[in-house]
Amino acid sequence: MRIIIFGPQGAGKGTQAGKLVEETGAAHIATGDLVREEIKKGSELGEKIQEYNDKGELVPDEIIIEMTKPHLDKHDGWILDGFPRNQAQAKALDEALEEIDEKVDRVIALEASDEDLVKRLSGRRQSEATGKTYHIEHDPPPEDSDEDAGPFVQRDDDTEEAIRKRLETYHEETEPLKDYYEEQGILVTVDASQGIDEVTKEVMKAVGEDK
Ligand code: AP5
């Protein structure tokens, strides 16, 4: 299946994409991870996009589309996380999929209030060893270093200022895409203010994996 996991910053896109990957074996394509990998490499492109990332601004469309496109036909099934985020990206995705005679099967929109999201993101920690995401209260990093050695660090864009900027951009540019996918009859909304396991149950149901 080709699934878009959609929603505001901190709604749990990365968390739920991880569960879907475990359950379905699909690949996880997260544009935020692609951005951070490029920054880590220290490439010329990485230097150019770091400023956008750290301020919580969207990387320009032509750059993010070029970075994402090659991943779309590499796998039979994928969970696309963080893309598209505006009309131009949604159009570019449709065109890229048309070229390979494919389409998006389902869009899962996670929904939660901004205040919940700011709290969640302030407690987020990411493992430098595995890239896995945790939360200091809701999903603490493991103490056993065989499971994940860490260190568990805070992302550069998880400052309150950058989080509020990212949410503002989400409401203005990204959220309207829900109508676009609803019109195509492939949108399923999930209340993401529930606990992680409750959200996972609804997400699995949305993709027919609720055994
Ligand atoms: P990206 O990495 O995609 O960041 P984001 O959209 O800000 O999304 P997040 O990763 O912050 O949130 P999430 O929904 O994945 O939440 P998570 O599962 O971690 O993008 C980063 C940057 O890259 C952008 O700002 C931009 O510059 C650039 N970029 C990326 N894509 C782009 C594009 N298409 N166009 C242009 N630029 C682009 O969960 C958050 C926390 O909450 C975790 O700690 C988790 O453990 C916890 N949690 C999760 N679910 C629950 C729950 N149900 N209850 C309690 N806690 C929970």
Side-chain angles (χ1 to χ4, degrees), residues 71-198:
H71 295 269
L72 299 173
D73 63 352
K74 261 196 209 157
H75 317 275
D76 285 342
W78 39 244
I79 319 294
L80 190 53
D81 162 4
F83 190 94
R85 293 199 197 216
N86 57 30
Q87 285 290 347
Q89 293 182 16
K91 193 162 170 272
L93 176 63
D94 286 349
E95 285 168 4
L97 290 179
E98 222 173 277
E99 277 171 30
I100 55 171
D101 210 15
E102 291 296 346
K103 60 178 178 46
V104 174
D105 297 299
R106 192 84 76 249
V107 178
I108 302 173
L110 304 177
E111 297 179 333
S113 74
D114 285 8
E115 286 322 303
D116 275 355
L117 299 171
V118 173
K119 271 192 227 143
R120 277 192 198 170
L121 289 175
S122 331
R124 171 162 63 185
R125 298 292 180 271
Q126 194 164 24
S127 165
E128 272 192 354
T130 63
K132 203 168 173 249
T133 295
Y134 300 92
H135 190 279
I136 47 175
E137 280 171 38
H138 312 296
D139 184 17
E143 283 172 18
D144 181 354
S145 62
D146 285 344
E147 212 179 305
D148 192 338
F152 306 99
V153 295
Q154 199 157 17
R155 266 170 46 175
D156 291 336
D157 57 344
D158 276 350
T159 59
E160 177 146 357
E161 196 187 349
I163 294 168
R164 298 235 178 242
K165 170 86 198 155
R166 280 149 65 202
L167 287 171
E168 199 182 301
T169 310
Y170 172 79
H171 292 307
E172 274 170 22
E173 295 190 38
T174 311
E175 203 170 16
L177 288 180
K178 282 202 276 187
D179 294 339
Y180 179 71
Y181 291 116
E182 178 136 51
E183 277 163 23
Q184 295 177 27
I186 54 173
L187 183 84
V188 180
T189 55
V190 170
D191 173 7
S193 66
Q194 310 172 84
I196 294 177
D197 293 344
E198 284 72 27

